[in-house]
Amino acid sequence: MTIAYVSTRDPDPGADGRALGFGDVLLAGLAPDGGLYCPSEIPPLPAVTADTGYVDAAVSIMEPFVAGTFTSSELAEMAADAYRGFRHPDTCPVIDLGRNRYLLDLTKGPTLAFKDVALQMVGRMLEAELGRRNRRVTVIGATSGDTGSAAIDALAGKANIEVLILHPHDRVSEIQRRQMTTVAATNIHNVAIKGTFDDCQDLVKAAFADPVLRADVDLAAVNSINWARVMCQIVYYVTGARRARPDGGPVSFSVPTGNFGNVLAGWYAKRMGLAVDRLIVASNRNDVLTRFLETGRLETHAVAPSLSPSMDIQISSNFERLLWEVSGRDGHAVSDVLGELRSTGRVDVPPAWHRAILAEFDGARLDDGGTIERIAASHGANELIVDPHTAVGLHAAELFATPDVPMVALATADPAKFPDAVEDAIGIRPDLPAHLAEILDRPERFETMDNDLGPVSDLLRSIAG
Ligand SMILES: *Cc1c(COP(=O)(O)O)cnc(C)c1O
């Protein structure tokens, strides 16, 4: 079986020649109609037990999604290579917190954030597919911190790929900047933009929208709307559920949420047949999704900075995929709803869609004060040191935990990435792992530029050669 991929905004996805294969979707980013690519069929869950190794689980879960592009032995080789460097033999270990609560630890990758789990795999898939097509791309991305370092680590030294990451000058932490700028590989390029994260993101969008530039440079993106990232994340929901509950009975997940890519992977796991009771969307004060669950209305506010910056988002791009599914895959209706949101800043979603989402999801928010309290409480109860994003998820997990269903909270960053908040909460400054402590001494390499597409385009042309 080969799964075809279709856009969430395509009014007639069944039309001849419209559906793409996995390799096309891997390289494509957004669909030309502005929608996101989704699998047209959802395969059944393969046999995975509490004893199945992470790489074996990854291969059996992803195989049907990539069929026609990668064989299962190619997939196995890439997965073994991608996860070899993780700092735990289980790759994504499950920690028993007692009282039927568990922590699914996604922070063991090279840059200490859950994005490594998908990006380490996506980097290898991209390199393989580009090699086969004899094509070279320049990956461009904007980052407020975590995504840039995870993408750089995943793509450093890869053939046929150049990488340009824009970060806001003086607005990322020193650790986050050094994680990006001390990577020596010659295909990695960093630019500090004199502006905000939104300025960086606007420059990326402007680059993609510039037909003259695109004629010169084959641009690609690895942001969280790439289907391949969502797909890679399905795996740890399955292995996490099996570890927390080997009998295969239902579990719930609490997920620190920004762009909705992580929790959406949990929804796909459930659709494949994993026994999932509730999916809990945990947000900080930027709570557009929690408000949506309460009211059925999507309404964007200004982004407010918080202690959990990777969740400081007002438009959760991947939510579009869920809307498309609950609409009965009605690309026309999804286009209308998102068009209204874009032009007016708010939209009331059809009540049937809202009800369908409420049947599976809960939402909870936590402000910065509560985040500090939760970091302290977790340390008191379990001697566990967690980062601010994880703390938001643990809070939501407590709100919705029931006695009979194991509650699995996802840990999305290592506390050493956010030492100030952790020190504030518990008086302990978490140490960086040895492989990162070295970056404090390594030379940095980056350029600083004005918030202007001109010099960024010139750099893209010279990188692409
Ligand atoms: C990216 C990120 C999130 C948000 O994940 P989404 O898939 O965007 O919802 C949460 N926590 C951390 C630490 C992250 O880096």
Side-chain angles (χ1 to χ4, degrees), residues 113-115 146 224 233 256-262 310-311 313 387 389 412-413 418:
F114 94 95
K115 294 185 173 68
D146 284 344
S224 78
Q233 292 166 182
T257 296
N259 243 328
F260 204 73
N262 196 350
S310 296
M311 292 150 55
I313 280 172
D387 96 291
H389 304 78
T412 52
F418 301 93

